[in-house]
């Protein structure tokens, strides 16, 4: 009998490991606040990544970068699939995938996912988790789930505050248990966001735009850039509004962006007449949807650039509060930008996920409409599809009749655009 070697795990592929090292170096260098005061040597992570990249290029008889600055130019100008890395798994990265956004010079979301989720915790990711953990702890201590909901909604809907708005937030009684956190997580906006004495907010995602030329502005959120130039929102004239504060970047990336997809879903589902609870039971999951007949959906919204990393992270939705069906949801623009997104998620999803399906936000809303109309066919389900009579069931509800699920999803609404997350 011939011994079969197990298929190597792509996360441990040497070229993927190398790119994770480069991504980590990019984030470390991007965190340097005052480049004028920067002195050599480069951070150890940057030098290690450069050494590994040079060695791999020499092995592949390719011209290596001459130093850290050129490695950073590669990260901005060269799609990952064009790097001279011969062991990189085919089709892992899209033709447009770069570590640094070409227009702004800011680290791309994929860079954060490679360095943080694919590699290990960065300081930014630790900060994000620490803030949410502390908010949960403080609100539980005061037996105040409504304070936690108010805190999460603040981070989603008000990433930028003028001096007057800051005073208003400071008087919000619901935020009393987390007052110490609110004062920490909003920081004065650096002068680099200002042009001609004014700041400009994105109309869609509400965060501050970055001036990238004398006339152009750049939004740090992937969804806005996918949909075209960021629409101009509030203009904040510094001389009129006083000191402007914004959420610290780890929270803007990890909480504000995905949270706007959550609140957008909330609005659409409420408009259908459904009962919607946000972040129930201190954030057991994102959205709890109750139908008129008492049937309950549990939904977690994810907004990741790379579907393989998302699939690797998939775990069953928490059992409390109980529900009949559960799924994860991704903004549809991710699937429009990368057609293999749902399939890639399904391939990488492990057994610990219990067949957890991934739907787009459009598919979820369509399934809700179908169920409200009385449809009990497969397109009206969001959980693992049943094998026998009756619908799928979730933790704490009816006895389950589920089979191990594939990633089959309801058909997309023809010609309908994705949900506006702003």
């Amino acid at each position: 009998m011939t011994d079969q070697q197990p298929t190597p795990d792509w996360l441990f592929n040497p070229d993927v490991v190398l790119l994770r090292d480069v991504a980590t170096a990019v984030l470390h260098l991007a965190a340097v606040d005052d480049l004028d005061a920067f002195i050599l040597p480069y951070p150890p992570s940057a030098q290690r990544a450069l050494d590994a990249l040079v060695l791999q290029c020499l092995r592949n008889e390719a011209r290596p970068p001459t130093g850290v600055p050129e490695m950073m130019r590669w990260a901005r100008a060269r799609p990952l699939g064009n790097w001279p890395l011969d062991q990189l798994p085919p089709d892992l990265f899209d033709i447009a995938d770069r570590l640094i956004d070409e227009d702004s010079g800011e680290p791309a979301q994929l860079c954060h996912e490679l360095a943080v989720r694919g590699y290990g915790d960065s300081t930014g990711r630790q900060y994000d988790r620490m803030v949410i953990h502390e908010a949960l702890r403080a609100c539980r201590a005061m037996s105040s789930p409504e304070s936690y909901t108010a805190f999460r909604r603040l981070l989603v809907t008000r990433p930028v505050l003028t001096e007057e708005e800051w005073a208003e937030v400071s008087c919000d009684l619901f935020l009393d248990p987390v007052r110490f956190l609110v004062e920490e997580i909003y920081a004065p906006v650096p002068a680099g966001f200002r042009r001609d004495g004014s700041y400009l907010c994105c109309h869609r995602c509400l965060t501050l735009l970055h001036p990238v030329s004398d006339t152009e502005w750049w939004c740090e959120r992937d969804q806005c850039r996918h949909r075209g130039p960021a629409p101009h929102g509030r203009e904040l004239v510094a001389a009129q509004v006083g000191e402007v504060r914004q959420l610290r970047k780890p929270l803007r990336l990890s909480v504000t962006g995905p949270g706007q997809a959550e609140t957008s879903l909330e609005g659409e589902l409420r408009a259908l007449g459904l009962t919607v609870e946000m972040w129930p039971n201190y954030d057991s999951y994102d959205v709890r949807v109750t139908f008129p007949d008492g049937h309950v959906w549990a939904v977690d919204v994810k907004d990741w650039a790379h579907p393989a990393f998302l699939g690797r992270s998939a775990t069953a939705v928490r059992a409390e509060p109980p529900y009949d069906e559960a799924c994860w949801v991704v903004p549809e623009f991710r699937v429009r930008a990368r057609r293999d997104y749902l399939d890639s998620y399904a391939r990488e999803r492990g057994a610990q996920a219990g067949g957890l399906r991934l739907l787009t936000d459009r598919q979820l809303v369509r399934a809700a409409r179908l169920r409200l109309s009385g449809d009990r066919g497969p397109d009206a389900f969001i959980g693992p599809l049943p094998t026998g009579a009756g619908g799928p069931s979730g933790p704490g509800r009816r006895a389950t009749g589920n089979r191990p699920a594939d990633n089959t999803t309801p058909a997309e609404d023809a010609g309908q655009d994705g949900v506006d997350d702003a």
Side-chain angles (χ1 to χ4, degrees):
M1 176 169 126
T2 305
D3 290 332
Q4 287 188 331
Q5 296 297 323
T7 303
D9 190 310
W10 61 264
L11 269 180
F12 300 99
N13 174 286
D15 284 349
V16 175
V17 171
L18 192 158
L19 287 178
R20 284 153 46 187
D21 287 342
V22 175
T24 303
V26 167
L27 294 186
H28 285 172
L29 290 168
V32 176
D33 292 326
D34 187 359
L35 290 177
D36 291 335
F38 178 77
I39 58 174
L40 294 174
Y42 290 107
S45 61
Q47 194 60 54
R48 283 196 302 269
L50 175 65
D51 292 345
L53 180 57
V54 167
L55 180 60
Q56 190 65 6
C57 287
L58 293 175
R59 285 174 176 164
N60 294 338
E61 299 182 351
R63 187 184 70 81
T66 57
V68 170
E70 187 172 358
M71 180 177 73
M72 296 292 282
R73 285 194 289 273
W74 279 29
R76 183 172 182 172
R78 298 184 70 163
L80 294 178
N82 289 345
W83 288 42
L85 305 174
D86 61 350
Q87 298 181 68
L88 202 62
D91 302 323
L92 179 60
F93 296 109
D94 189 73
I95 190 171
D97 285 341
R98 290 175 171 83
L99 295 180
I100 297 177
D101 180 81
E102 273 194 292
D103 296 327
S104 69
E106 292 283 331
Q109 183 170 333
L110 175 60
C111 184
H112 287 270
E113 292 173 8
L114 272 168
V116 176
R117 298 181 175 107
Y119 182 79
D121 280 352
S122 72
T123 303
R125 187 63 176 171
Q126 290 168 355
Y127 179 85
D128 161 34
R129 289 174 175 166
M130 179 193 71
V131 167
I132 297 302
H133 173 79
E134 284 300 306
L136 286 168
R137 181 196 61 76
C139 293
R140 283 192 177 113
M142 298 293 290
S143 299
S144 182
E146 63 273 11
S147 290
Y148 179 76
T149 300
F151 178 74
R152 283 297 297 269
R153 200 176 290 279
L154 174 71
L155 270 56
V156 171
T157 62
R158 307 186 78 174
V160 179
L161 296 173
T162 65
E163 205 166 281
E164 181 179 351
E165 292 165 344
W166 175 251
E168 176 190 335
V169 167
S170 299
C171 296
D172 189 332
L173 296 180
F174 279 115
L175 296 173
D176 274 353
V178 290
R179 184 77 55 211
F180 69 104
L181 279 176
V182 174
E183 292 174 353
E184 149 63 25
I185 63 180
Y186 282 91
V189 176
F193 281 84
R194 189 167 63 217
R195 188 169 68 197
D196 297 331
S198 296
Y199 305 95
L200 186 62
C201 295
C202 176
H203 180 68
R204 277 195 289 256
C205 67
L206 310 180
T207 59
L208 287 175
L209 298 174
H210 298 247
V212 293
S213 72
D214 290 340
T215 58
E216 295 180 329
W217 298 82
W218 178 83
C219 182
E220 65 188 8
R221 191 168 178 219
D222 283 1
Q223 179 156 355
C224 282
R225 298 197 304 279
H226 174 76
R227 297 175 63 183
H232 294 183
R234 290 197 300 168
E235 182 178 1
L236 305 176
V237 180
Q240 297 174 2
V241 302
E243 185 176 52
V244 178
R245 291 175 171 87
Q246 68 175 343
L247 281 175
R248 298 188 187 276
K249 189 168 185 176
L251 292 168
R252 300 199 307 269
L253 291 176
S254 301
V255 180
T256 304
Q260 287 170 351
E262 296 159 12
T263 55
S264 181
L265 267 181
E266 175 192 18
E268 283 211 79
L269 295 169
R270 285 190 192 278
L272 295 177
L274 296 168
T275 301
V276 181
E277 183 181 359
M278 299 300 291
W279 310 294
N281 192 35
Y282 299 101
D283 208 9
S284 286
Y285 42 87
D286 293 331
V287 186
R288 190 170 195 260
V289 185
T290 304
F291 287 81
D293 63 357
H295 193 83
V296 175
W297 285 357
V299 178
D300 260 333
V301 180
K302 307 295 179 182
D303 188 6
W304 290 28
H306 204 290
F309 295 141
L310 182 60
R312 284 304 182 95
S313 75
T315 56
V317 175
R318 293 177 187 172
E320 291 293 331
Y323 52 83
D324 296 288
E325 297 178 72
C327 71
W328 277 7
V329 163
V330 65
E332 184 172 290
F333 89 94
R334 295 288 183 192
V335 178
R336 289 182 182 272
R338 183 167 183 147
R339 291 295 180 176
D340 68 338
Y341 197 104
L342 298 179
D343 290 338
S344 180
Y345 164 86
R347 284 195 302 270
E348 298 297 334
R349 179 188 57 198
Q352 76 279 0
L356 180 72
R357 290 170 63 194
L358 179 68
L359 279 66
T360 69
D361 44 15
R362 288 290 87 211
Q363 291 168 341
L364 182 88
V365 172
R366 180 175 185 272
R369 289 197 190 101
L370 288 172
R371 196 177 197 288
L372 280 171
S373 72
D375 193 327
R376 295 298 182 267
D379 285 357
F381 288 134
I382 67 167
L385 299 177
T387 53
S393 60
R397 308 290 287 192
R398 299 180 294 274
T400 183
N402 294 358
R403 62 173 170 80
D406 59 17
N407 203 48
T408 304
T409 55
E412 295 183 14
D413 282 324
Q416 190 167 7
D417 291 334
V419 176
D420 188 341
D421 291 347

